[in-house]
Amino acid sequence: MQAEITVIGGGTAGLVAAIACAEAGASVTLHEAHGSPGGRGRATAGPYTAHEGPHVFYCDGPHWTWLAGRGLTGRLVRPPARDLLRVTFVHNGRRTLRPPAGFLKMITVGRYRTAPVDEDFHGWAARHFGEAAARAAANAIAAVTYDADTGRLSAAFVWELLRRVYAPGVPAVRWVAGGWQAVVDRMAARARDLGVRVELGSRITALPDHPTIIATELSSARSLLGDDSLHWESGHCVLLDLAVPRGPRDRFLAFDLDAGGFHESYSMQDPATAPRGESLFQLDMPVRAGESLAGARQRLDRFAELAVPGWRDRAVWQRRGTARGRTGALDLPGLTWRDRPAIDRGDGVFLAGDQVAAPGMRGEIAVNSAVRAAAGAVRAAGLRAREAA
């Protein structure tokens, strides 16, 4: 009989884990509590295709190699050259085409420095580049951390993100047609083609007696395993998806160097995400410590006015949301990704997701941890682990 492996959770991590285990020859059952797989990779149905979470990929890591090698990334898209130039920064409450000189110096001349793990980013960056540059850089990379005080995080953690996203060089960012939802659909189809049984609307409350991968939110894994140690730092932000008639002053990207807000177009690179003649954007604003959601939304709305002028009168569709503890792992001073909750929990139980011990940022952590969890589960099932890699 085939060795059995159970995967709990049908988001990105769960689908990757199920595929990897099935490729190694295991009999895999995936349980997803919701009515469709995908987790934060899901998107709204048309005519406005807005994502629950991130909607870009970076091609400079093992996550991309794994996905692309299986044909799961699909067709790539990119904005027209004229739209790529529609990038702006918000600094001192105004739009500007250039970030502050200190920030530019940091990511060009200073990018070869090594940042320490055990010091906070603001203190380290201020010492080397000045207070203003440190604040601007922390707010610029909040586009990835979704945290209102990124300066409090480990300098090494933040510095790696900054260099990946902003350092000069060949851009690693990739947009796929249909976004993460299209990738999720391909992963689900691949899993079923490999014989994975996908049980939707299936909520698991007790572990089976064979190797199991728990690919849920960390809070759900904590409850299922009864393990109060399963905690890790993550971001907190408010979100606005917004559709307007296309306008000449709308930005493709906008980085809020004052407060950490971020704005990106869905439709400039993928026109199929909105009706003809309309633009679709996602904006977010990190929630400050002690701040109400209403206060954060007011700041988000002011930022939206700078990125999409006149948006309140122009909006033809909008959706608001909040994300807390579900925006990927953040490492505090003295900690690295290796200190996050271990993937191998013992007794044939493994964790996968974006807040466990695997490298990368946001969804990359989910993919990388899922591949590692699958390798462990395959070994526990007595199969050849190398085939799951």
Side-chain angles (χ1 to χ4, degrees), residues 101-238:
F103 177 58
L104 281 174
K105 180 180 178 181
M106 176 189 295
I107 61 174
T108 53
V109 179
R111 71 182 188 275
Y112 299 109
R113 286 185 179 272
T114 299
V117 170
D118 56 357
E119 185 177 357
D120 69 83
F121 175 76
H122 180 82
W124 174 80
R127 189 168 66 253
H128 290 286
F129 305 104
E131 288 278 343
R135 285 193 299 272
N139 286 326
I141 203 61
V144 174
T145 65
Y146 298 99
D147 191 80
D149 187 12
T150 296
R152 71 191 172 91
L153 304 176
S154 164
F157 173 76
V158 177
W159 190 232
E160 180 183 2
L161 296 178
L162 273 165
R163 290 194 297 181
R164 284 188 68 191
V165 175
Y166 291 103
V170 178
V173 67
R174 296 291 183 270
W175 297 277
V176 300
W180 278 74
Q181 179 68 68
V183 177
V184 163
D185 291 343
R186 282 188 285 272
M187 286 196 291
R190 170 70 172 162
R192 291 188 172 99
D193 287 346
L194 289 167
V196 175
R197 294 177 296 280
V198 179
E199 303 288 346
L200 300 176
S202 177
R203 193 174 296 275
I204 301 300
T205 57
L207 298 182
D209 58 359
H210 52 256
T212 300
I213 298 171
I214 302 173
T216 64
E217 303 266 350
L218 201 57
S219 58
S220 298
R222 181 168 65 245
S223 176
L224 180 61
L225 294 177
D227 185 347
D228 289 338
S229 72
L230 296 180
H231 287 273
W232 201 256
E233 198 77 10
S234 190
H236 184 198
C237 69
V238 291

Side-chain angles (χ1 to χ4, degrees), residues 43-346:
T44 57
Y48 301 104
T49 306
H51 301 281
E52 296 293 336
H55 47 280
V56 301
F57 292 85
Y58 282 76
C59 68
D60 56 351
H63 64 286
W64 180 262
T65 302
W66 194 94
L67 292 168
R70 289 160 173 78
L72 298 173
T73 53
R75 180 172 62 90
L76 299 181
V77 293
R78 59 175 296 163
R82 65 180 184 276
D83 290 334
L84 279 173
L85 298 175
R86 295 187 179 195
V87 177
T88 195
F89 299 88
V90 174
H91 188 229
N92 294 330
R94 302 180 64 181
R95 286 184 10 170
T96 176
L97 297 179
R98 289 174 59 86
F103 177 58
L104 281 174
K105 180 180 178 181
M106 176 189 295
I107 61 174
T108 53
V109 179
R111 71 182 188 275
Y112 299 109
R113 286 185 179 272
T114 299
V117 170
D118 56 357
E119 185 177 357
D120 69 83
F121 175 76
H122 180 82
W124 174 80
R127 189 168 66 253
H128 290 286
F129 305 104
E131 288 278 343
R135 285 193 299 272
N139 286 326
I141 203 61
V144 174
T145 65
Y146 298 99
D147 191 80
D149 187 12
T150 296
R152 71 191 172 91
L153 304 176
S154 164
F157 173 76
V158 177
W159 190 232
E160 180 183 2
L161 296 178
L162 273 165
R163 290 194 297 181
R164 284 188 68 191
V165 175
Y166 291 103
V170 178
V173 67
R174 296 291 183 270
W175 297 277
V176 300
W180 278 74
Q181 179 68 68
V183 177
V184 163
D185 291 343
R186 282 188 285 272
M187 286 196 291
R190 170 70 172 162
R192 291 188 172 99
D193 287 346
L194 289 167
V196 175
R197 294 177 296 280
V198 179
E199 303 288 346
L200 300 176
S202 177
R203 193 174 296 275
I204 301 300
T205 57
L207 298 182
D209 58 359
H210 52 256
T212 300
I213 298 171
I214 302 173
T216 64
E217 303 266 350
L218 201 57
S219 58
S220 298
R222 181 168 65 245
S223 176
L224 180 61
L225 294 177
D227 185 347
D228 289 338
S229 72
L230 296 180
H231 287 273
W232 201 256
E233 198 77 10
S234 190
H236 184 198
C237 69
V238 291
L239 302 137
L240 172 64
D241 292 315
L242 178 66
V244 297
R246 196 172 299 155
R249 297 186 63 212
D250 297 337
R251 301 289 90 185
F252 172 50
L253 295 173
F255 300 92
D256 182 357
L257 304 186
D258 294 335
F262 179 61
H263 154 96
E264 184 175 4
S265 170
Y266 290 113
S267 55
M268 289 182 185
Q269 65 271 32
D270 189 359
T273 59
R276 186 178 180 86
E278 295 182 13
S279 294
L280 181 64
F281 305 103
Q282 184 176 80
L283 302 93
D284 69 76
M285 180 65 67
V287 180
R288 294 168 175 164
E291 183 181 31
S292 68
L293 291 180
R297 289 186 183 117
Q298 288 177 353
R299 292 192 297 113
L300 175 60
D301 289 355
R302 290 194 294 269
F303 173 55
E305 188 61 38
L306 293 170
V308 189
W311 70 270
R312 289 179 177 86
D313 296 328
R314 297 168 59 202
V316 294
W317 180 85
Q318 61 179 285
R319 181 184 67 155
R320 292 186 181 270
T322 304
R324 183 169 193 172
R326 50 197 302 269
T327 56
L330 305 177
D331 296 338
L332 293 169
L335 301 173
T336 73
W337 66 262
R338 294 176 177 84
D339 300 303
R340 299 171 193 161
I343 292 171
D344 188 344
R345 310 305 298 178

